[in-house]
Amino acid sequence: MVHALSNVSLTVAQGEVLGLVGESASGKSTLVCLISGIYAPSDGGIRLHGRPVATRHRHQDHDPRADDPPGPVRQP
């Protein structure tokens, strides 16, 4: 098991806008997948308005980018 995130705490006030930036492979997409309920946390939990976020029943090792339609194919 790969631990992509550790000891993350995030509070966003109502009406506040948040931008998530970081280096490649720093866990941005994993954090968004956890917050949106696509992934279930292996430890701890995700809460929205004080209530746990329900997770969709998908495999933890599923890559959400695999769901994206393929982009244009370029020939040399």
Side-chain angles (χ1 to χ4, degrees):
M1 177 184 289
V2 175
H3 293 279
L5 300 170
S6 180
N7 298 318
V8 175
S9 178
L10 178 67
T11 302
V12 181
Q14 184 174 350
E16 190 173 41
V17 176
L18 174 74
L20 187 59
V21 296
E23 295 181 24
S24 179
S26 63
K28 299 177 301 290
S29 295
T30 300
L31 179 60
V32 170
C33 287
L34 286 163
I35 291 170
S36 65
I38 293 172
Y39 293 167
S42 58
D43 189 23
I46 307 290
R47 295 183 168 275
L48 179 62
H49 302 294
R51 296 187 192 125
V53 172
T55 59
R56 296 180 189 138
H57 300 287
R58 290 180 123 181
H59 298 292
Q60 282 295 112
D61 56 0
H62 174 74
D63 183 350
R65 293 172 292 189
D67 296 335
D68 291 341
V73 177
R74 296 184 185 188
Q75 303 271 336

